[in-house]
């Protein structure tokens, strides 16, 4: 056997991801994973806001929530989050999970009932990254 270090993403990266996914599926209870994506476009079809998320078993897992600078403060992010949480409840989810940097939206999620469960300090050097959950 030989250990090998690579500083680039390669076919091995995907192969390793597939191996761990197969292991996880074989060792945890069956659960349904389904995308939950919401987009707001302007009249020309330009993406102005949106969310990339998935429902996974009992959980809504928010990967990205974005609102363009010129639309912030108008309640659009709140509407997107509310829409995602409602759809998640319809899918049987009981909880929501999100992580956010200190310069992004910790106050936004707190305002919407999310509770901090963990924080990474000095991430990657001087910032902070917060992990939140919410009971739906």
């Amino acid at each position: 056997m030989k250990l090998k270090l690579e500083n680039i993403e390669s076919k091995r990266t995907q192969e390793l991801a597939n191996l761990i996914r197969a292991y996880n599926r074989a060792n945890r209870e069956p659960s349904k994973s389904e995308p939950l994506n919401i987009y707001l476009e302007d009249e020309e079809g330009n993406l102005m806001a949106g969310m990339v998320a998935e429902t996974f078993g009992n959980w809504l897992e928010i990967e990205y929530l974005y609102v363009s600078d010129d639309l912030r403060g108008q309640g659009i992010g709140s509407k997107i989050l509310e829409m995602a949480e409602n759809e998640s409840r319809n899918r049987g989810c009981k909880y929501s999970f999100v992580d956010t940097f200190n310069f992004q939206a910790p106050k936004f999620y707190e305002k919407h009932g999310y509770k901090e469960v963990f924080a990474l300090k000095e991430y990657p050097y001087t910032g902070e990254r917060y992990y939140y959950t919410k009971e739906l």
Side-chain angles (χ1 to χ4, degrees):
M1 289 191 276
K2 176 181 164 188
L3 283 173
K4 184 177 177 183
L5 173 70
E6 289 185 352
N7 293 326
I8 60 168
E9 208 169 300
S10 69
K11 68 177 182 165
R12 289 286 189 203
T13 305
Q14 189 60 49
E15 185 179 353
L16 190 58
N18 291 339
L19 287 169
I20 194 67
R21 284 186 194 107
Y23 175 83
N24 290 349
R25 278 191 300 274
N27 289 283
R28 68 163 167 28
E29 73 275 25
S31 55
K32 185 176 182 183
S33 176
E34 193 175 0
L36 195 164
N37 302 316
I38 300 167
Y39 306 107
L40 175 67
E41 299 175 341
D42 67 11
E43 296 77 24
E44 288 83 42
N46 298 306
L47 186 60
M48 304 302 294
M51 176 186 283
V52 173
E54 74 173 320
T55 54
F56 182 66
N58 287 326
W59 289 85
L60 164 63
E61 296 183 13
I62 300 168
E63 188 170 355
Y64 306 115
L65 174 56
Y66 172 78
V67 178
S68 64
D69 287 340
D70 54 328
L71 294 180
R72 290 186 184 162
Q74 299 179 33
I76 293 169
S78 296
K79 288 177 185 171
I80 291 170
L81 183 60
E82 181 182 345
M83 183 183 226
E85 289 176 351
N86 287 337
E87 176 60 24
S88 297
R89 284 184 199 95
N90 291 338
R91 295 181 185 186
C93 293
K94 298 177 183 177
Y95 312 100
S96 181
F97 168 78
V98 67
D99 69 272
T100 186
F101 287 97
N102 58 306
F103 60 86
Q104 289 176 323
K107 299 282 186 237
F108 171 82
Y109 289 108
E110 290 168 3
K111 180 177 89 171
H112 290 284
Y114 285 73
K115 304 289 184 216
E116 181 184 325
V117 293
F118 181 73
L120 290 175
K121 307 294 181 178
E122 298 181 38
Y123 185 86
Y125 297 110
T126 62
E128 296 174 355
R129 188 171 182 178
Y130 301 98
Y131 295 78
Y132 289 95
T133 61
K134 178 180 177 179
E135 205 169 305
L136 298 174

